[in-house]
Amino acid sequence: MDTTKTSAPLTPEADPAEPKTPAQADRADGSTPAATKADTTKAETDVSTSDTEAPTGEADGLDDPDGLDDPDGLDEPKERIVGSVGAAASAIVAAGLGLVALSGTWVSRVIAERQTLIGQIESVNATSTEAKIDALYGDAWHLTALVNGVVSTLALLLAVFVLARPAFGVPDRVLPVWIRSVAWAAVALGALGILLFGSMYFDLLLPMPKAAG
């Protein structure tokens, strides 16, 4: 009887050869799988793209944070529309004076009636018909034209002062549109009154009638 035992082999028996996948074969060779290489290349491309685009967005925000690069907004001066009670009242008073002067003021009527009374007293001593007409009507008409012409001049000067006042005050100060409109209307009324009453005073318009020979 053979009592000698056979010793176990020191190395395990090798498993039968199994087929390996391409990925396992690449790992065994120490190389990266093709799919892994593609993923890595895509990730690197995304990272490089994000790094490239990020500064561009920041640069755009720094270059024009509030739209300050607009040359039109920087070149055009900003005007402040400021209206005061004095300017509004002056414009309204100027327009009222110009309108009243054209229709005839109470002061001019009183002065004309007074001058007519004086002319009636002086006409007693008048030696000619033309002298009587001038004493009764001519002086009264001339005084009416003179008073109304003075009122028109005041309206014109006040309106011009309202329009020119912002130029000598705060820079870029502009009156509201309605104040400027009223002031320009007063300028037109005042200029028309000066032209009309000046012509009447110097007998260029509606001259004194002449008596028949």
Side-chain angles (χ1 to χ4, degrees):
M1 181 178 182
D2 188 4
T3 58
T4 304
K5 295 181 179 181
T6 306
S7 59
L10 297 177
T11 58
E13 296 179 358
D15 294 334
E18 295 179 359
K20 296 182 180 180
T21 61
Q24 292 176 350
D26 291 338
R27 291 193 188 94
D29 298 338
S31 59
T32 305
T36 305
K37 290 181 179 179
D39 296 338
T40 304
T41 304
K42 182 178 180 180
E44 291 177 357
T45 304
D46 294 339
V47 171
S48 61
T49 303
S50 61
D51 293 339
T52 305
E53 293 178 355
T56 304
E58 294 177 359
D60 293 339
L62 292 175
D63 292 339
D64 192 9
D66 296 326
L68 296 178
D69 288 344
D70 187 9
D72 296 334
L74 293 177
D75 294 339
E76 295 180 356
K78 295 182 179 179
E79 297 179 347
R80 289 193 307 164
I81 299 178
V82 180
S84 62
V85 177
S90 299
I92 295 174
V93 169
L97 289 176
L99 184 62
V100 169
L102 290 176
S103 61
T105 62
W106 178 81
V107 176
S108 65
R109 287 196 299 268
V110 171
I111 293 176
E113 292 175 358
R114 181 179 182 275
Q115 187 62 36
T116 301
L117 180 60
I118 295 174
Q120 290 175 356
I121 297 173
E122 293 178 349
S123 64
V124 177
N125 300 325
T127 57
S128 63
T129 305
E130 292 183 358
K132 289 182 179 180
I133 294 175
D134 187 63
L136 290 174
Y137 304 103
D139 294 340
W141 290 347
H142 289 163
L143 283 177
T144 301
L146 178 62
V147 173
N148 290 332
V150 170
V151 176
S152 297
T153 304
L154 292 177
L156 177 62
L157 294 177
L158 186 58
V160 171
F161 173 78
V162 172
L163 294 173
R165 179 67 180 84
F168 301 97
V170 181
D172 299 332
R173 181 174 180 266
V174 178
L175 294 174
V177 176
W178 74 270
I179 295 181
R180 286 180 286 171
S181 300
V182 174
W184 278 114
V187 169
L189 292 174
L192 180 61
I194 292 174
L195 179 62
L196 177 62
F197 296 120
S199 300
M200 293 176 63
Y201 182 79
F202 293 104
D203 291 333
L204 300 176
L205 180 66
L206 300 176
M208 290 292 298
K210 302 294 182 181

